[in-house]
Amino acid sequence: MAQSSIEWTELTWNPVTGCSKVSAGCKFCYAEVMSRRLQAMGLEKYKDGFKKVRTHPTTLADPYEWKGSKMVFVNSMSDLFHPDVPVDFIKDVFKVMNDNLSHVFQVLTKRPERALELNEDLTWSKNIWLGTSVEDERVINRIDLLRLNNASVKFLSCEPLIGSLAGINLSYIDWVIVGGESGRNPRPMKKEWVLEIKEQCEIFGSAFFFKQWGGTNKKKAGRELNGQTFNDMPIS
């Protein structure tokens, strides 16, 4: 567990590390960059680098120690539904989340097809939110797969937003996070793309969260849209 600087969560919890790239949004993966740094620092958890998916059973005890009510991003350094994560371990992670109802667990995946395959074998308690990444129209089918899941709160992460999603169907989608790419060579995000999504959120009643403009200096670019910040969260 670690305190998080990500605007839409409080803590990160990584029972799995390592991943592989599946679509254009993965091109400049921040988790891959961070994994290299942590490996260079000698952290055992990242000794195999980013391309090796590893499970970490000892981390399953962590949520039982947290006080109060936390918003928790699950596997910021991986994908719980990566094909190399054993089904039994996914069930173990869900058991922990089911046991800790005072916390909200935000599970974000680029593989909603596997989440759907396991849907009926998992207990989707109300504190488990499921999201999928949708960076452009090439992966818009992920939304249809997400819609079929039993999670009570479903959300999209349109970050990095690298293309227009005009007219996106947000039925049964509770929350949409939008953000531009950051780093050394960020791909641009057009303001009109952001406004298109915001308009669809208003039409469908989805909460809209604008995370950042991104760029090579994301702090300087900020996160205001038309002079406002948008921090809407879903009602769970």
Side-chain angles (χ1 to χ4, degrees):
M1 180 272 290
Q3 296 290 328
S4 178
S5 61
I6 299 171
E7 290 82 354
W8 46 265
T9 197
E10 295 177 283
L11 305 177
T12 56
W13 176 48
N14 283 289
V16 182
T17 55
C19 201
S20 55
K21 300 181 181 184
V22 292
S23 62
C26 302
K27 184 176 182 179
F28 299 120
C29 177
Y30 79 91
E32 181 178 27
V33 174
M34 184 61 70
S35 290
R36 286 198 295 265
R37 292 175 184 169
L38 296 172
Q39 183 183 33
M41 291 167 61
L43 272 70
E44 193 278 337
K45 198 172 182 179
Y46 300 92
K47 67 178 183 179
D48 294 326
F50 185 69
K51 293 183 180 180
K52 173 69 173 178
V53 174
R54 296 182 64 203
T55 60
H56 304 278
T58 59
T59 65
L60 298 180
D62 294 350
Y64 296 93
E65 304 298 323
W66 300 338
K67 306 298 182 183
S69 180
K70 306 296 184 184
M71 191 76 69
V72 186
F73 180 12
V74 180
N75 286 328
S76 63
M77 300 297 287
S78 185
D79 187 331
L80 184 61
F81 293 103
H82 190 284
D84 290 346
V85 181
V87 172
D88 285 346
F89 191 77
I90 295 174
K91 290 181 177 179
D92 289 343
V93 172
F94 266 72
K95 174 64 164 57
V96 174
M97 296 189 290
N98 298 151
D99 285 349
N100 288 275
L101 296 174
S102 62
H103 308 306
V104 171
F105 293 91
Q106 301 159 305
V107 181
L108 179 61
T109 183
K110 287 183 172 67
R111 299 166 174 86
E113 66 280 359
R114 191 173 189 220
L116 187 58
E117 288 173 6
L118 300 177
N119 186 42
E120 300 300 329
D121 297 322
L122 303 171
T123 300
W124 295 90
S125 46
K126 288 188 176 181
N127 64 322
I128 302 174
W129 299 2
L130 182 66
T132 193
S133 300
V134 182
E135 63 265 27
D136 61 23
E137 63 180 6
R138 289 173 289 183
V139 291
I140 206 166
N141 65 302
R142 291 175 181 169
I143 305 174
D144 291 329
L145 296 169
L146 176 65
R147 256 190 283 271
L148 297 173
N149 196 276
N150 288 343
S152 61
V153 172
K154 303 175 181 67
F155 69 96
L156 305 182
S157 175
C158 301
E159 182 190 13
L161 183 61
I162 56 174
S164 172
L165 292 172
I168 187 174
N169 180 0
L170 297 178
S171 59
Y172 299 101
I173 301 300
D174 303 283
W175 188 34
V176 182
I177 303 162
V178 178
E181 192 164 59
S182 58
R184 292 183 179 180
N185 299 293
R187 290 163 288 184
M189 177 179 69
K190 295 182 180 180
K191 181 178 179 180
E192 65 192 66
W193 299 344
V194 181
L195 294 176
E196 288 167 351
I197 295 173
K198 181 176 180 295
E199 180 180 359
Q200 293 303 104
C201 286
E202 293 167 355
I203 291 171
F204 286 92
S206 307
F208 176 76
F209 193 107
F210 185 59
K211 181 175 178 288
Q212 64 179 30
W213 285 105
T216 54
N217 188 337
K218 66 179 182 179
K219 288 186 178 180
K220 183 178 179 180
R223 51 188 303 262
E224 286 192 358
L225 174 63
N226 289 341
Q228 292 181 259
T229 55
F230 293 89
N231 299 313
D232 293 350
M233 299 290 287
I235 299 173
S236 58

